[in-house]
Amino acid sequence: MFKRISRYWWCQILGWTAYSVVNLFFAYSFAGSFGSYFLVNLLVIMFFGMVATHLLRSIIKRLNWFQYSFESQMLLFFALTVSSGVIIYVGNTIAGNLYRYSWQQRALTDQTTLTFLLPIFLITSIWWLIYFVWHYIERSRNSQVDKLKLESTVKELELKTIKSQLNPHFIFNALNSIRALVDENPQRARTAITELSNILRSSMQVEKAETVNLENELDIVKDYLALENIRFEERLRVQYDIDPETLELPIPPMMLQTLVENAIKHGISRTVSGGTVIIGSHVRDTHHEITIENTGQIGGAATTGHGFGLQSTRQRLSLLYGNKASFNIYNKNEETVEAIVLMPLF
């Protein structure tokens, strides 16, 4: 039964009960006892206190008071304090006359009116202050939760948008590679199609994931490099410098493949004699460091961070890790370009 009572009514009951207990305590402390008249009068005040505050609360809820300006809410606060105090006073006076002796009965206005109203106004002001502050905190908390949910939704949509752009971007480049092999070497073209099928199957499995472990990403990269090796043959050399402890660490899906693709497209393919791609993965202090080193030199939008692949890498790192992650690409020396990705371990 108690579970059906709302939090609001629990606060009402406990709050007015606490008011009565405090009054009884002081009455007993100063007078040594209290009569039935005092107790009944206290119960009447409790009753009309609940009636007044609940009635006025229902009215202001319909008026959407929380949409008012601060100045309007302050005026509303004073109006509610006075109104609920007057309701309690009038209710207590009228109902009290029903059980008072004729010589004890009071008029609505007499010399004791102000003496009775002041403490009632104090109690109602406390009630409404708690009510306003409670809702202010509640709205602030809900607003913060809604903001976090919105940010999470926006981040998810942006990640999905980037991934939906990455796959067609990669497929277009892969199909161009296969097209170059169709007339020259049909057998190798068929092998290339098989490699592409493996890559697409792997990429579809991680499409809904925000991160995948490095080992799964490396499998995609190896299939991609096998495909590119058919086209470049001895012009493409690949080396791996992978710390086994990093294989289970999470990274954004297709990120490593995108960086390797960028290294081949803008580095190896532009060098007549080809070159080497070195893929590294290590733990540096509190970060997971991934390095892509390739033969070539930075030049043009695609290799200075304004190409699609590099922009998508920056965006996804920012969305997933904020300023805790970083991505840089630069000329390591006169023959080599290095891309470094740092992601937090925690």
Side-chain angles (χ1 to χ4, degrees), residues 249 282-289 342-346:
L249 294 179
H282 299 86
V283 173
R284 305 293 185 195
D285 297 326
T286 59
H287 286 78
H288 178 198
E289 180 187 72
L342 284 175
M343 294 168 289
L345 293 175
F346 310 104

Side-chain angles (χ1 to χ4, degrees), residues 45 49 102 111 137 175 181 222 278-279 292 331 343:
I45 292 176
S102 58
Q111 295 179 347
I137 295 174
L175 288 175
L181 295 173
K222 289 176 181 178
I278 304 174
I279 303 171
I292 309 295
N331 289 326
M343 294 168 289

Side-chain angles (χ1 to χ4, degrees), residues 127-142:
W127 196 99
W128 288 111
L129 180 63
I130 294 173
Y131 181 80
F132 273 57
V133 170
W134 173 276
H135 279 274
Y136 176 79
I137 295 174
E138 190 76 8
R139 290 199 307 274
S140 297
R141 185 176 62 183
N142 291 339

Side-chain angles (χ1 to χ4, degrees), residues 162-163 166-167 206 210-212 214 217-218 220-221 249-263 280 288-292 309-318 320-321 325-327 339-343:
I162 293 170
K163 284 193 284 186
L166 277 174
N167 285 339
V206 301
E210 286 190 357
T211 60
V212 295
L214 177 63
E217 183 75 359
L218 276 173
I220 298 177
V221 169
L249 294 179
I251 67 172
M254 303 298 290
M255 183 190 73
L256 183 58
Q257 187 273 333
T258 301
L259 294 177
V260 172
E261 180 184 352
N262 185 79
H288 178 198
E289 180 187 72
I290 292 179
T291 58
I292 309 295
L310 302 186
Q311 279 187 326
S312 70
T313 299
R314 295 184 191 278
Q315 289 172 349
R316 286 193 289 167
L317 287 172
S318 177
L320 288 172
Y321 305 110
S326 64
F327 169 67
I340 299 179
V341 176
L342 284 175
M343 294 168 289

Side-chain angles (χ1 to χ4, degrees), residues 13-120:
I13 295 169
L14 294 176
W16 286 106
T17 300
Y19 164 77
S20 300
V21 170
V22 170
N23 275 271
L24 291 172
F25 171 77
F26 281 107
Y28 186 82
S29 298
F30 288 103
S33 63
F34 46 82
S36 59
Y37 172 79
F38 179 83
L39 185 59
V40 172
N41 191 62
L42 201 56
L43 292 174
V44 171
I45 292 176
M46 281 182 59
F47 172 77
F48 282 102
M50 290 186 185
V51 170
T53 52
H54 181 68
L55 175 64
L56 293 173
R57 170 183 173 270
S58 300
I59 294 174
I60 65 172
K61 281 184 67 177
R62 293 182 181 181
L63 297 176
N64 293 325
W65 64 272
F66 47 84
Q67 296 181 356
Y68 294 178
S69 65
F70 177 76
E71 292 78 8
S72 298
Q73 289 189 20
M74 289 298 296
L75 292 174
L76 181 63
F77 171 79
F78 286 111
L80 291 169
T81 297
V82 173
S83 300
S84 52
V86 170
I87 293 174
I88 294 172
Y89 171 74
V90 172
N92 176 262
T93 301
I94 296 175
N97 287 338
L98 298 176
Y99 60 82
R100 294 188 185 104
Y101 296 109
S102 58
W103 56 272
Q104 290 179 316
Q105 292 187 354
R106 295 203 309 255
L108 290 177
T109 55
D110 56 27
Q111 295 179 347
T112 62
T113 298
L114 187 60
T115 305
F116 185 84
L117 276 175
L118 289 178
I120 290 298

Side-chain angles (χ1 to χ4, degrees), residues 82-259:
V82 173
S83 300
S84 52
V86 170
I87 293 174
I88 294 172
Y89 171 74
V90 172
N92 176 262
T93 301
I94 296 175
N97 287 338
L98 298 176
Y99 60 82
R100 294 188 185 104
Y101 296 109
S102 58
W103 56 272
Q104 290 179 316
Q105 292 187 354
R106 295 203 309 255
L108 290 177
T109 55
D110 56 27
Q111 295 179 347
T112 62
T113 298
L114 187 60
T115 305
F116 185 84
L117 276 175
L118 289 178
I120 290 298
F121 286 156
L122 177 61
I123 296 302
T124 55
S125 65
I126 293 174
W127 196 99
W128 288 111
L129 180 63
I130 294 173
Y131 181 80
F132 273 57
V133 170
W134 173 276
H135 279 274
Y136 176 79
I137 295 174
E138 190 76 8
R139 290 199 307 274
S140 297
R141 185 176 62 183
N142 291 339
S143 176
Q144 187 68 20
V145 170
D146 291 341
K147 182 180 178 182
L148 291 174
K149 287 182 179 178
L150 178 61
E151 290 177 353
S152 176
T153 302
V154 170
K155 186 184 83 169
E156 183 179 353
L157 289 174
E158 289 181 355
L159 285 170
K160 287 183 178 179
T161 300
I162 293 170
K163 284 193 284 186
S164 68
Q165 293 171 328
L166 277 174
N167 285 339
H169 182 261
F170 159 71
I171 293 171
F172 176 77
N173 290 335
L175 288 175
N176 278 341
S177 300
I178 295 173
R179 184 179 62 181
L181 295 173
V182 170
D183 295 327
E184 178 184 342
N185 194 328
Q187 179 60 40
R188 288 191 176 183
R190 285 193 290 270
T191 303
I193 292 173
T194 301
E195 297 291 348
L196 177 59
S197 174
N198 292 336
I199 296 171
L200 293 179
R201 185 181 300 109
S202 298
S203 65
M204 288 175 64
Q205 291 175 353
V206 301
E207 183 66 28
K208 296 181 180 180
E210 286 190 357
T211 60
V212 295
N213 61 46
L214 177 63
E215 187 173 16
N216 289 345
E217 183 75 359
L218 276 173
D219 290 339
I220 298 177
V221 169
K222 289 176 181 178
D223 285 334
Y224 168 74
L225 289 172
L227 175 62
E228 290 293 70
N229 193 57
I230 295 175
R231 182 160 64 103
F232 287 97
E233 297 180 339
E234 70 277 357
R235 291 179 60 215
L236 174 61
R237 297 175 294 278
V238 181
Q239 297 178 15
Y240 295 95
D241 181 20
I242 308 295
D243 184 344
E245 294 183 358
T246 65
L247 290 175
E248 296 299 320
L249 294 179
I251 67 172
M254 303 298 290
M255 183 190 73
L256 183 58
Q257 187 273 333
T258 301
L259 294 177

